């Protein structure tokens, strides 16, 4: 398979700097989006010196459980590439090649191998999920393919020999700091109760455990955490335990179903303290399952709201 590998891995490292700079320009790109396809676009002459064309790969979940995020990321890359290609002074032209891993780790490996064996691909944006990223990293690392994810948040991705994987997003552990600050840096709360629901996988464990550990480091408050097995539906006793430790702020780390159950229990007990969950819970499912008990819940997220003033230009182009 050696003949399929890029001849110059160092070139990929160098080109990542140029391509990464282009991808940072997404704010003012074209509003018109080209249709998604598995083949690179813009294969014709581009007027750039020597007619050079470099390909940015998009490794995303386009038809699986995180398809909304995957398609949003694909569009962001297309906007950035259009912006770069519209510049008068550019040393080369960028094109986009999109491959769908369907949110499946096994398929993610095949997608990574295809990108790694394509000599025209100089960098990859993705994968979308933590699991897909973990599965794909060995193939990318072997090919010294620069990979930049904006949604894989695991803290425990192993170090790779070629250090070609970059997380342009805070990890679950990093997000523990704003959780603790938001919940405890207020006059009415100094004891944090943390419920880690294994149904949320490693994301829940990393977020919940980190929040518990950071509490005494960042504040004068204390933390008490409980861990429940995946599939737990009876949260009443655990909530009782957390409240018996006088927890006046609560953080739930788990999935939408568990968060809704906890929300209904707290509402039934007239709990009025601040309560928060991960961004993985923040969606229609939680609102539907929790009903009126969802009122007052807050969420920590690794991204900003699309209506934020700083995102106005990009949001308009994306729309």
């Amino acid at each position: 398979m050696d003949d399929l590998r890029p001849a110059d891995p160092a070139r990929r490292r160098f080109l990542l700097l140029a391509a990464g700079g282009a991808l940072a320009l997404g704010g003012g790109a074209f509003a018109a989006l080209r249709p998604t396809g598995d083949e690179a676009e813009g294969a014709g002459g581009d007027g750039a010196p020597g007619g050079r064309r470099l390909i940015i790969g998009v490794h995303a979940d386009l038809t699986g459980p995180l398809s909304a995020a995957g398609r949003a990321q694909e569009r962001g890359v297309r906007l950035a590439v259009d912006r770069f290609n519209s510049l008068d002074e550019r040393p080369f032209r960028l094109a986009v090649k999109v491959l769908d891993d369907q949110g499946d780790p096994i398929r993610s490996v095949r997608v990574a191998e295809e990108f790694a064996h394509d000599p025209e691909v100089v960098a990859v944006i993705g994968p979308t999920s933590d699991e897909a990223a973990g599965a794909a990293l060995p193939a990318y690392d072997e090919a010294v393919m620069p990979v930049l994810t904006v949604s894989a948040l695991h803290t425990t991705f192993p170090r790779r020999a070629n250090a070609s994987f970059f997380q342009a997003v805070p990890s679950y552990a990093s997000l523990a700091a704003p959780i603790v600050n938001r919940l405890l840096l207020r006059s009415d709360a100094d004891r944090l109760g943390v419920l880690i629901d294994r149904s949320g996988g490693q994301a829940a464990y990393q977020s919940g455990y980190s929040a518990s550990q950071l509490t005494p480091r960042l504040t004068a408050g204390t933390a008490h955490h409980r861990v429940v097995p995946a599939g737990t539906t009876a949260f009443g006793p655990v909530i009782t335990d957390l409240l018996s430790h006088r927890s006046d702020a609560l953080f739930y780390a788990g999935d939408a179903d568990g968060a809704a159950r906890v929300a209904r229990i707290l509402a039934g007990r007239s709990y009025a303290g601040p309560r928060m969950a991960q961004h993985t819970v923040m969606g229609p499912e939680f609102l539907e399952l929790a009903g009126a008990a969802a009122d007052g819940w807050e969420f920590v997220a690794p991204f900003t709201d699309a209506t934020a003033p700083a995102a106005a230009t990009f949001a308009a182009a994306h729309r």
Side-chain angles (χ1 to χ4, degrees):
M1 298 292 288
D2 287 346
D3 58 323
L4 294 176
R5 296 181 187 174
D8 187 2
R11 177 174 176 271
R12 278 184 166 165
R13 286 198 186 98
F14 171 77
L15 291 174
L16 173 67
L17 301 177
L23 291 168
L25 297 174
F30 297 160
L33 300 178
R34 294 187 293 263
T36 301
D38 283 351
E39 296 302 321
E41 300 175 2
D46 54 31
R52 287 192 298 162
R53 183 197 66 165
L54 306 177
I55 296 175
I56 300 295
V58 177
H59 179 160
D61 175 357
L62 301 180
T63 55
L66 295 180
S67 59
R71 290 195 174 278
Q73 292 166 22
E74 177 204 344
R75 290 167 183 153
V77 174
R78 291 187 184 281
L79 288 170
V81 166
D82 281 342
R83 173 77 178 265
F84 178 83
N85 287 339
S86 70
L87 299 176
D88 292 332
E89 299 293 332
R90 54 177 172 80
F92 48 80
R93 178 178 176 81
L94 291 175
V96 179
K97 178 176 180 177
V98 183
L99 294 177
D100 178 15
D101 67 16
Q102 300 176 353
D104 177 17
I106 296 177
R107 183 175 173 85
S108 180
V109 174
R110 295 199 294 268
V111 167
E113 289 173 344
E114 179 170 342
F115 276 134
H117 295 154
D118 188 334
E120 289 191 284
V121 176
V122 296
V124 172
I125 308 300
T128 310
S129 74
D130 298 311
E131 295 75 18
L137 284 182
Y140 284 134
D141 188 66
E142 183 180 2
V144 199
M145 173 70 78
V147 179
L148 185 148
T149 180
V150 297
S151 57
L153 280 67
H154 268 187
T155 309
T156 54
F157 286 123
R159 287 188 176 275
R160 299 293 173 178
N162 292 308
S164 56
F165 176 60
F166 305 92
Q167 289 175 280
V169 61
S171 67
Y172 293 115
S174 298
L175 288 175
I179 292 170
V180 173
N181 288 339
R182 175 63 180 167
L183 291 176
L184 294 187
L185 292 187
R186 54 177 84 199
S187 60
D188 58 345
D190 59 9
R191 295 181 179 86
L192 177 62
V194 179
L195 200 170
I196 303 172
D197 183 352
R198 287 290 196 175
S199 295
Q202 277 295 309
Y205 185 79
Q206 290 176 21
S207 294
Y209 185 75
S210 297
S212 181
Q213 293 296 303
L214 277 179
T215 294
R217 301 179 189 177
L218 299 180
T219 74
T222 59
H224 175 65
H225 73 267
R226 288 290 305 272
V227 182
V228 299
T232 297
T233 57
F235 290 95
V238 183
I239 297 298
T240 297
D241 177 72
L242 291 174
L243 297 182
S244 71
H245 281 79
R246 296 188 295 168
S247 299
D248 44 20
L250 291 174
F251 173 59
Y252 170 83
D255 61 10
D257 179 73
R261 293 176 186 273
V262 170
R264 293 196 300 269
I265 292 172
L266 292 175
R269 300 187 185 187
S270 300
Y271 176 81
R275 52 270 196 209
M276 181 179 284
Q278 297 169 277
H279 71 285
T280 51
V281 170
M282 184 176 62
E285 183 181 1
F286 171 71
L287 296 177
E288 180 179 349
L289 294 175
D295 188 40
W297 277 73
E298 299 175 325
F299 303 89
V300 60
F303 45 79
T304 191
D305 193 297
T307 62
T313 302
F314 176 80
H318 188 277
R319 187 173 295 111

